[in-house]
Amino acid sequence: MSTPPNLAHGRSYLAIPGPSVMPDAVLQAMHRAAPNIYAGELVNMMPDLVADLKRVARTKHHVAMYTGNGHAAWEASLANIIQPGDKVLVPATGRFGIGWGETARLLGAEVETIDFGKQSPMDMARIEEVLRADKSHEIKAVLAVHVDTSTSIRNDIAALRKTLDSVGHPALLMADCIASLGCDRFEMDAWGVDIMVTGCQKGLMVPPGMSFVFFNDKAEAARAKMPRVSWYWDWTPRAHAEEFFQYHAGTAPTHHLYGLRTALDMIHAEGIENVWARHGVLARAVWAACDVWSTTGSFAMNVKDPAYRSNAVTSLRLQSPDATALRDWVEQQLGLTLGIGLGMATPGDPAWHGFFRLGHMGHVNGQMIMGMLGGIEAGMRALKIEHGTGALDAAAEVIGGG
Ligand SMILES: *Cc1c(COP(=O)(O)O)cnc(C)c1O
């Protein structure tokens, strides 16, 4: 028997939950000679860039930019309001919640974690109990991940605000929207979020390298009471820059700014509500296929209740080592890269090879999602992984009706 031809030659597709698929227009906007950083186009484009970022976050308040990844935004947000000995509450629903809490601990905070495990969203009743017990209001901030990218659980941030208010607790509400911004609906001001962090390489469709901390006046008042904030992390000059270099505390990430400008133009031309709606339909197509695959064999979605699933990422499991075998096959044979499991098992544990994730954030459309699902179907056939049949029909029905 002759070996089948390799089908990976063609444009590759990185379907992992960040970095996401980037528009060619974003990459083309970055492909240019070094711009002047003292005057001219780059300097002049900052006010609109700031305004358009705030429109994506649905806030009228402030934004500070950092030349760093999501971890930089985690640290920046905390460095402005937490001093050693301050207490924070972390309602964790996966690896990223734990990680943000760890960042706070290393900055000297006392961290109380409520771990909701890997398959359940935040339980507001339990959070309410903890807040109610904190009679002297020692908890200064609640660190809440909107979509935890490891488990793909989406939490109800508006309900968390209501919980804080119902107890009359003054803690700052902080949200990590690194995975969710530009995919799942998020309303910073309407939901009463005081501080929000995000990165540029997921829903914002720009190569990794910039991140953002949005904050309101209540957060700014907490910053003003800090005895000191280090020069680099201080959000004040970045958000209220009078000179261009202050936005970035030094040399600007020049080419990223051009990429971001184009990405924001694309998002606002489509309309943020339409961007959310597109990701909503694409996510439902993914879930419909996964539901069918799950009808037999070991295939399973991590989040059972669709109300707590995200439009940005889907965490899945198979019998180990089938998930790793499937990822390897679709990458080598089809040029399609799926995400590894994260935080579900330790890398040395054989169970690790049973977890994987699909990223459907950023510049993705209907034909790409159908192609990704078709690739997974082909991989499961090639590897004789038991699965329900008719998944592509189910996905097509979501997208095309009928
Ligand atoms: C990606 C991600 C991070 C970390 O961002 P990096 O850019 O990798 O540092 C943090 N939180 C969430 C929810 C994420 O999805």
Side-chain angles (χ1 to χ4, degrees), residues 69-71 74 96 145 147-149 176 178-179 201-202:
N69 59 17
H71 284 71
W74 271 357
F96 287 92
V145 177
V147 169
D148 199 300
T149 323
D176 170 345
I178 299 175
Q201 80 275 25
K202 295 184 184 178

Side-chain angles (χ1 to χ4, degrees), residues 119 151-154 301-306 308-309 315:
Q119 291 191 284
T151 55
S152 71
I153 292 164
R154 183 175 54 81
M301 265 186 280
N302 189 51
V303 184
K304 305 293 169 227
D305 184 346
Y308 299 105
R309 290 183 193 151
S315 296

Side-chain angles (χ1 to χ4, degrees), residues 161 164 170-175 188 192-196 214-220 235:
R161 162 49 68 200
L164 278 155
L172 294 164
L173 175 53
M174 301 174 66
M188 176 160 167
V193 172
D194 299 306
I195 298 174
M196 184 270 273
F214 297 84
F215 57 94
N216 65 12
D217 296 338
K218 182 178 166 189
E220 192 153 53
W235 66 31

Side-chain angles (χ1 to χ4, degrees), residues 365-378:
N365 61 19
Q367 54 94 6
M368 294 169 75
I369 294 298
M370 288 305 295
M372 174 183 74
L373 297 172
I376 294 169
E377 171 89 30

